[in-house]
Amino acid sequence: MFCLCVFLQLAALERQIFDFLGFQWAPILGNFLQIIVVILGLFGTIQFRPRYIVVYTVWTALWVTWNVFIICFYLEVGGLSKETDLMTFNISMHRSWWREHGPGCIRRVVRPSSPGILEDYSYVSVTGCIIDFQYLEVIHSAIQILLSLIGFVYACYVISIFMEEEDSFDFIGGLDTYSYRQPPQEHVELKPVKPVGKVL
């Protein structure tokens, strides 16, 4: 479980960095929750806390759903458009960081020539990308889904192990020094205790 959690954390942190660079606030929030819940699931596994692992499994189902939505968003499935500001909560005009900085992309900034346009405004032209940015986002989401499904199966396995251990525990005599498989000693040898008194 520890190695899986490390992979999940590294994948979420890598994605978090690039979403911060693109100012995509919805994925940033989702990645932050993913990081917290993975830590919670790891803690639950180490400390034998099934409730924390149940929280992790429920979150994993939501995380897979979110990543499926991101795939549909970037592939423009069902009327979704990657050109909208949905990922930035309509706060800013930023897009995916991979749009301008993908592998092989050549970024050119073209300043406006019209006198009525602000000096800060510029048009960015991107050419020569080996992989379009939407496919890079889809690959990131597919990796998250794959790791999350493995984590979900493993978490269900750990929960079942914890439940079996709770069922096999002898609650009546579980705190005694013997278990129900070993009968208690019939005779206990008692030794008298000599009182310690003052010697005159």
Side-chain angles (χ1 to χ4, degrees):
M1 180 70 175
F2 182 76
C3 292
L4 180 63
C5 286
V6 168
F7 285 130
L8 284 167
Q9 290 293 62
L10 289 176
L13 286 171
E14 181 265 342
R15 190 169 178 185
Q16 183 78 313
I17 290 167
F18 291 112
D19 287 338
F20 260 119
L21 292 172
F23 298 101
Q24 295 194 0
W25 302 113
I28 287 170
L29 181 62
N31 294 331
F32 177 74
L33 291 174
Q34 168 72 358
I35 290 167
I36 296 298
V37 173
V38 169
I39 291 171
L40 190 68
L42 182 61
F43 178 76
T45 303
I46 293 171
Q47 295 293 320
F48 302 104
R49 308 266 175 116
R51 290 181 184 168
Y52 292 167
I53 303 172
V54 169
V55 169
Y56 170 78
T57 55
V58 170
W59 169 255
T60 301
L62 294 172
W63 184 243
V64 168
T65 305
W66 169 249
N67 281 288
V68 168
F69 169 76
I70 289 177
I71 289 172
C72 292
F73 176 79
Y74 281 107
L75 294 180
E76 298 183 335
V77 175
L80 295 169
S81 174
K82 63 182 177 284
E83 300 302 324
T84 62
D85 295 325
L86 185 63
M87 292 296 171
T88 60
F89 293 133
N90 293 326
I91 296 173
S92 62
M93 297 290 293
H94 291 89
R95 301 279 189 267
S96 171
W97 184 83
W98 296 106
R99 177 186 291 255
E100 299 174 10
H101 302 92
C105 291
I106 300 168
R107 183 176 182 263
R108 290 189 182 94
V109 177
V110 180
R111 298 279 177 195
S113 57
S114 302
I117 300 176
L118 297 173
E119 291 294 325
D120 294 342
Y121 181 78
S122 60
Y123 173 74
V124 176
S125 171
V126 180
T127 56
C129 294
I130 297 171
I131 302 175
D132 288 337
F133 76 95
Q134 64 265 24
Y135 299 120
L136 289 170
E137 292 286 354
V138 167
I139 290 169
H140 276 91
S141 292
I143 290 170
Q144 291 289 332
I145 290 171
L146 178 65
L147 290 174
S148 295
L149 290 176
I150 294 169
F152 181 82
V153 170
Y154 191 76
C156 291
Y157 172 72
V158 170
I159 289 171
S160 69
I161 288 175
F162 286 172
M163 294 303 166
E164 285 176 8
E165 287 179 4
E166 284 183 7
D167 290 342
S168 66
F169 183 72
D170 180 22
F171 288 102
I172 295 172
L175 298 175
D176 296 336
T177 57
Y178 57 88
S179 69
Y180 67 92
R181 292 186 185 98
Q182 299 172 348
Q185 295 178 354
E186 297 272 332
H187 303 287
V188 178
E189 185 179 335
L190 299 175
K191 294 181 181 179
V193 178
K194 293 181 182 178
V196 179
K198 292 183 179 179
V199 179
L200 298 172

